[in-house]
């Protein structure tokens, strides 16, 4: 049974219309939830109150933390910088392997401990010396109105904004939402419709549409992540097909991260991904022509390193999230051959390293 929507949770939401039968349809994502008064959508945080759609988590967070930008993961967006990360509750996908399931699958607002206005979040990021703010932990498309207001406050203070998302969103809100984002890491969870339907309760094509939109119709810096799950999406054939699609539809310079799965949520019966599988996937993707392929959740320095596609020099050598060597000019050119490297770089490389700093907004702002 849906948790009642209290008056304090009724922040006006966009992206809905009234149906002939009296229900309201949410137009944010391809789930197209159709709601009677008092009902919530599949994401749990968008619901109907009276004759309108409301967002119940506006201004409320499951927590804030200052992280390295590489943890999002973004390896070619101001490397070495720090980023203030936060999420809310709920999700519009139903991934059986969710590794933030205690937040994204939460049906209780007890998880939402921190309250913060968009301006307070931006001020906090500025006080901690962060380059950017990330909407993460759960999918930010479901709290789009809150995220977009936070983004406006961040941009007013010359801070960048990052969306960590599955990209499951309709065309009009997609345009509005990503117009406020400077970078995005999109989970391309697999490359088969069967996986998306059975393991996430969603569909593949809307995600591919989002990726093509971001790459060809926006200036948003884009990186991709695929969590490799043994026996479900880690075959040579699927990895090769996905890599070839990325090369053809998005281009060789879009970074791709292969991450190792560990048993969690509803997939506790599947073993963690061997390091060899992640390295194999990286090699397959490189052989299809992709220039920047990384490994995650495993200790493999070569897979953490950014290489020059022209001369193969080590440009950014990392040990986990710590930068050990940096050979790029402020303009993002290789110091060996002067080739321009895709991405966004500053006058100097950040050295935030492996730190993780939990933050309470109320205590700092």
């Amino acid at each position: 049974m849906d948790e009642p929507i209290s008056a304090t949770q009724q922040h006006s939401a966009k992206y809905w219309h009234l149906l002939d039968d009296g229900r309201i349809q949410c137009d944010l994502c391809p789930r197209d939830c159709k709601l009677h008064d008092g009902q919530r959508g599949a994401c749990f945080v968008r619901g109907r109150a009276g004759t309108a759609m409301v967002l119940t988590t506006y201004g409320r967070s499951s927590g804030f933390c200052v992280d390295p930008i590489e943890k999002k993961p973004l390896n070619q967006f101001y490397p070495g910088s720090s980023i203030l990360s936060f999420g809310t509750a709920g999700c519009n996908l139903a991934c059986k392997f969710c590794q933030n399931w205690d937040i994204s699958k939460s049906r209780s607002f007890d998880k939402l401990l921190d309250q913060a206005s968009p301006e307070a979040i931006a001020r906090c990021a500025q006080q901690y010396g962060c380059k950017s703010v990330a909407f993460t932990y759960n999918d930010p498309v479901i709290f789009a109105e809150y995220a977009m207001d936070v983004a406006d406050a961040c941009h007013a203070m010359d801070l960048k904004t990052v969306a960590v998302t599955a990209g499951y969103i309709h065309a009009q809100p997609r345009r509005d939402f990503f117009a406020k984002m400077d970078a995005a890491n999109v989970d391309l969870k697999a490359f088969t419709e069967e996986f998306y339907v059975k393991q996430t309760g969603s569909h593949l094509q809307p995600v591919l549409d989002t990726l093509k939109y971001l790459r060809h119709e926006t200036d948003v810096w884009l990186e991709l992540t695929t969590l490799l799950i043994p026996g479900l999406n880690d075959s040579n054939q699927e990895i090769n097909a996905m890599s070839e699609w990325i090369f053809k539809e998005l281009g060789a310079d879009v970074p791709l991260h292969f991450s190792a799965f560990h048993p969690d949520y509803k997939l506790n019966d599947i073993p963690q991904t061997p390091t060899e599988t992640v390295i194999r996937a990286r090699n397959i993707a490189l052989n299809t022509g992709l220039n920047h392929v990384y490994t995650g959740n495993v200790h493999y320095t070569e897979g953490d390193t950014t290489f020059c596609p022209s001369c193969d020099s080590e440009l950014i050598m990392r040990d986990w999230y710590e930068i050990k060597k940096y050979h790029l000019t402020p303009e993002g050119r290789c110091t060996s051959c002067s080739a321009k490297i895709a991405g966004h770089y500053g006058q100097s490389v950040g050295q935030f390293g492996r730190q993780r700093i939990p933050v309470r907004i109320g205590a700092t702002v």
Side-chain angles (χ1 to χ4, degrees), residues 228-230 234 259-261 271-280 298:
L228 295 173
I229 305 175
D234 65 339
S259 190
F261 162 87
Q272 69 181 48
T273 309
T275 299
E276 294 74 17
T277 297
V278 184
I279 295 173
R280 169 172 56 84
V298 296

Side-chain angles (χ1 to χ4, degrees), residues 13-67:
K14 303 177 181 178
Y15 315 117
W16 59 272
H17 71 277
L18 186 64
L19 298 172
D20 291 340
D21 63 6
R23 292 179 298 170
I24 277 179
Q25 177 173 312
C26 180
D27 299 323
L28 180 75
C29 88
R31 286 191 173 278
D32 295 330
C33 295
K34 300 170 177 62
L35 307 175
H36 294 288
D37 188 19
Q39 286 187 315
R40 298 174 183 269
C43 66
F44 184 63
V45 302
R46 306 178 77 83
R48 177 175 177 175
T51 59
M53 181 75 67
V54 296
L55 172 61
T56 61
T57 52
Y58 191 99
R60 306 172 71 195
S61 170
S62 56
F64 295 84
C65 190
V66 179
D67 292 317

Side-chain angles (χ1 to χ4, degrees), residues 255-297:
L256 171 61
H257 302 254
F258 286 114
S259 190
F261 162 87
H262 62 260
D264 215 333
Y265 196 42
K266 296 182 178 180
L267 290 189
N268 278 312
D269 57 337
I270 294 180
Q272 69 181 48
T273 309
T275 299
E276 294 74 17
T277 297
V278 184
I279 295 173
R280 169 172 56 84
R282 178 176 181 268
N283 289 335
I284 291 171
L286 288 171
N287 287 335
T288 66
L290 298 183
N291 288 331
H292 305 290
V293 187
Y294 300 101
T295 56
N297 290 347

Side-chain angles (χ1 to χ4, degrees), residues 320-335:
W320 292 109
Y321 307 125
E322 190 173 353
I323 293 177
K324 297 294 190 179
K325 297 180 183 177
Y326 189 83
H327 299 297
L328 279 170
T329 69
E331 297 75 31
R333 293 189 177 276
C334 172
T335 57

Side-chain angles (χ1 to χ4, degrees), residues 43 63 66 69 122 160 198 217 225 291 317 340-341 365:
C43 66
V66 179
I69 187 73
K160 305 298 183 182
K198 291 185 177 180
E217 299 185 48
T225 297
N291 288 331
M317 193 183 98
K340 186 74 171 71
I341 308 302
V365 179

Side-chain angles (χ1 to χ4, degrees), residues 147-169:
M148 290 190 289
D149 286 351
V150 173
D152 286 340
C154 288
H155 291 149
M157 295 186 183
D158 198 29
L159 297 166
K160 305 298 183 182
T161 53
V162 172
V164 181
T165 174
Y168 204 61
I169 186 170

